């Protein structure tokens, strides 16, 4: 594009970063594109950060997700939205960093981004996989208190995982 004197803009970079992330581009390659974008004077937006967080979620990159989130917050221009938190919750849920997931849900609520059912289900699923029944019941009560109602099949799945975990022990 530069050869044709067409300068890439935020839409161009977001599209390229997203396509590369979905295409299996390395994390280092994605960071390189992010760095190039900033070097060219194109400021990242919420979509850029959420795209990078999605890549972290898909790859199970917790440290990298924290770095992206910190960079976003330090930029001063963006408040995390429900999508931002959903990717973070998913990332740390997959890594079974349950305290971090619980902390993120608290941050979401404090900032007015009420957790949606998927965020709660990630935490319920992670607790069920870990055999932490009491904690999963606390989350279930939080869901009820927040007016989020899980579908019966989600609860049945979590109960099944807990039973399987007990049988293995």
């Amino acid at each position: 594009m530069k050869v044709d004197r067409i300068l890439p803009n935020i839409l161009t970079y977001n599209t390229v970063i997203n396509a590369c992330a979905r295409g299996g581009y390395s994390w280092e390659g994605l960071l390189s594109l992010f760095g190039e974008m900033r070097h060219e004077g194109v400021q990242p937006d919420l979509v850029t950060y959420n795209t990078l967080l999605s890549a972290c979620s898909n790859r199970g990159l917790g440290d990298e997700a924290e770095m992206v989130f910190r960079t976003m917050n330090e930029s001063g221009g963006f408040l995390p939205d429900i999508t931002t938190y959903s990717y973070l919750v998913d990332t740390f849920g997959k890594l079974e960093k349950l305290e971090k997931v619980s902390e993120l849900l608290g941050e979401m609520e404090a900032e007015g981004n009420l957790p949606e059912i998927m965020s709660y289900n990630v935490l319920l699923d992670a607790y069920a996989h870990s055999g932490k029944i009491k904690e999963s019941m606390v989350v279930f009560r939080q869901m009820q208190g927040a007016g989020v109602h899980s579908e019966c099949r989600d609860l049945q799945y979590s109960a099944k995982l807990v039973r399987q975990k007990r049988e293995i022990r």
Side-chain angles (χ1 to χ4, degrees):
M1 289 184 70
K2 289 181 184 179
V3 173
D4 296 329
R5 295 185 187 184
I6 300 172
L7 297 177
N9 60 21
I10 188 64
L11 180 62
T12 309
Y13 275 109
N14 284 344
T15 302
V16 170
I17 290 171
N18 187 36
C20 289
R22 289 175 180 234
Y25 213 60
S26 72
W27 177 249
E28 292 75 21
L30 295 176
L31 283 184
S32 177
L33 285 169
F34 182 70
E36 175 187 318
M37 177 177 93
R38 294 173 81 181
H39 178 75
E40 292 294 324
V42 178
Q43 294 304 310
D45 63 7
L46 189 58
V47 172
T48 312
Y49 290 112
N50 284 341
T51 300
L52 291 171
L53 289 171
S54 172
C56 291
S57 174
N58 291 332
R59 292 168 168 84
L61 302 173
D63 292 340
E64 291 81 351
E66 285 193 85
M67 183 270 306
V68 170
F69 189 58
R70 190 172 41 256
T71 301
M72 182 180 115
N73 286 329
E74 289 171 357
S75 75
F78 305 102
L79 291 175
D81 65 0
I82 191 73
T83 303
T84 306
Y85 280 113
S86 294
Y87 286 133
L88 290 167
V89 165
D90 189 52
T91 300
F92 293 108
K94 288 176 182 174
L95 296 171
E96 295 189 11
K97 293 188 175 186
L98 307 180
E99 292 84 26
K100 183 68 177 174
V101 173
S102 189
E103 175 188 317
L104 287 165
L105 290 174
E107 282 181 34
M108 287 174 76
E109 290 175 4
E111 292 184 11
N113 289 309
L114 295 179
E116 55 189 16
I117 192 154
M118 291 302 293
S119 300
Y120 282 114
N121 281 343
V122 167
L123 188 55
L124 278 174
D125 187 49
Y127 279 138
H129 275 292
S130 301
K132 296 184 177 187
I133 299 164
K134 288 180 186 175
E135 290 86 345
S136 65
M137 289 308 298
V138 168
V139 171
F140 180 67
R141 298 285 181 247
Q142 287 175 332
M143 287 173 67
Q144 289 179 318
V148 177
H149 299 287
S150 185
E151 293 182 17
C152 186
R153 72 171 196 264
D154 297 327
L155 297 175
Q156 289 172 338
Y157 174 71
S158 293
K160 180 180 173 185
L161 288 173
V162 169
R163 276 195 310 276
Q164 288 173 348
K165 190 81 168 183
R166 283 184 176 165
E167 289 170 7
I168 292 172
R169 292 179 182 172

